[in-house]
Amino acid sequence: MSQVVAGTNAGRARYRTVTLISLIAAIAQVVLGGVVRVTGSGDACPDWPLCHGKIIPPLDYHIWLEFTHRLAATAVGLLVVVSLVLAWRHLRTSKPVIIATSASMVLVVAAAILGGLTVLSDLSWWTRLIHLGLAELTVAGLAIAWLAGHPDDRPDGTQSPANNVSRQDRVVAWAGLSGLLLVVLYGSYMVGIGYGASCHGWPLCLGSRNPAGNAFLINMIHRYMVAIVAVLVLRACIAAWKRGAAPAQLRPMAVLTAGFLIIEIGVGAFTAWLGSSPVVASLHLTFATLTWVSMVLMVAVHLDPATFRVRTRRGEITA
């Protein structure tokens, strides 16, 4: 019996390790895609899946930046396949693990196909927008898959933590989570149509809350969206912090989410003050994605601690 338990724990540990690596790789993939976009390297490889009709493309900075993005996507896909195999082999009785890992696999495949369509459609803004959405959902799926694979460290006979989150807190958490994704996608749309750097100054645009001109209006809508979503996210972080005395992961998650959000807003402000550059634009997407994934993890544990087997302090769980 002890050998069976040890084998199960070892399999779970392998699954969590591979899934965590997959999650980190997926985040890096999103960031690398942003670098490709802001450096104008997206059309460096005009064909797909080959690049200039070759497996090994010509030596050129922009070509290899885009080609590296493709190689990274392949690596993420292979890692997710391994995670799925390990899930079915060692954790097939865990419904959240199987669903989250399988969903991540479907999303990776869909993102890869859409990535090819993006190249073949001459980088139309709407295909890039959907491509980014699929990538962010893949990150979320892998985050949930990793979290769901956490071992249940509750003592025998200990009840699951009470799922007593108020309706208001649930609404705020889901609104903040949905709003974050919407803000990221709207930002991608704004950049895709060439309005990303249209507003100079922050928080006002050209010294006005409502500047005239379509480009300025679209940019200011993005800022208003960020302000509304920031209130929702920070409100959710406060609620998670207050409840975090029982599920011990919640307080670190709340701090990370709030911290990433504040840094993300700061990077956006510096972009408006100093002008956009590939480095700053990449940092903007990086912290947007980190805010998104930390919010996903926090909301999952906050709203359904029993499903995600929260780690507790001193092996005790209180309502």
Side-chain angles (χ1 to χ4, degrees), residues 53-315:
K54 299 179 180 179
I55 297 177
I56 305 298
L59 292 176
D60 175 84
Y61 170 74
H62 291 288
I63 291 175
W64 270 89
L65 194 57
E66 164 61 12
F67 190 64
T68 300
H69 177 58
R70 296 187 184 184
L71 292 178
T74 302
V76 171
L78 293 175
L79 285 167
V80 175
V81 168
V82 175
S83 294
L84 186 58
V85 170
L86 290 172
W88 278 103
R89 184 175 180 182
H90 301 289
L91 297 168
R92 68 180 66 183
T93 58
S94 174
K95 188 175 180 180
V97 165
I98 296 299
I99 291 176
T101 313
S102 300
S104 298
M105 186 73 258
V106 172
L107 288 167
V108 165
V109 173
I113 294 173
L114 194 64
L117 292 176
T118 301
V119 173
L120 298 177
S121 65
D122 295 324
L123 305 177
S124 60
W125 69 264
W126 63 270
T127 56
R128 289 186 294 187
L129 185 67
I130 299 174
H131 187 55
L132 176 61
L134 289 173
E136 295 289 3
L137 289 176
T138 300
V139 169
L142 289 171
I144 293 296
W146 170 76
L147 186 63
H150 196 285
D152 188 351
D153 60 358
R154 295 190 299 266
D156 293 340
T158 303
Q159 297 295 317
S160 298
N163 198 350
N164 56 356
V165 180
S166 69
R167 178 180 176 81
Q168 182 182 29
D169 285 347
R170 286 183 176 278
V171 171
V172 169
W174 281 113
L177 188 62
S178 303
L180 272 178
L181 182 59
L182 185 61
V183 163
V184 172
L185 295 181
Y186 186 88
S188 175
Y189 160 73
M190 183 177 65
V191 172
I193 60 176
Y195 294 162
S198 57
C199 273
H200 299 289
W202 187 91
L204 302 179
C205 177
L206 303 178
S208 172
R209 291 193 299 269
N210 299 293
N214 195 44
F216 305 130
L217 176 62
I218 288 176
N219 202 294
M220 283 303 296
I221 289 175
H222 179 63
R223 297 187 185 186
Y224 288 133
M225 289 173 64
V226 170
I228 295 170
V229 171
V231 171
L232 293 171
V233 171
L234 292 175
R235 171 66 178 79
C237 289
I238 292 171
W241 176 270
K242 289 180 178 179
R243 193 163 183 257
Q249 299 106 316
L250 269 180
R251 285 184 172 172
M253 288 177 181
V255 171
L256 280 177
T257 302
F260 286 144
L261 176 65
I262 292 170
I263 294 173
E264 164 67 3
I265 294 173
V267 172
F270 275 105
T271 302
W273 288 331
L274 305 177
S276 182
S277 69
V279 173
V280 175
S282 299
L283 285 175
H284 199 45
L285 181 57
T286 298
F287 283 104
T289 302
L290 290 175
T291 305
W292 162 248
V293 70
S294 60
M295 182 70 172
V296 167
L297 292 170
M298 185 188 76
V299 169
V301 175
H302 186 199
L303 299 188
D304 199 354
T307 297
F308 295 103
R309 297 180 174 89
V310 297
R311 177 177 296 173
T312 60
R313 293 173 179 166
R314 300 177 183 175

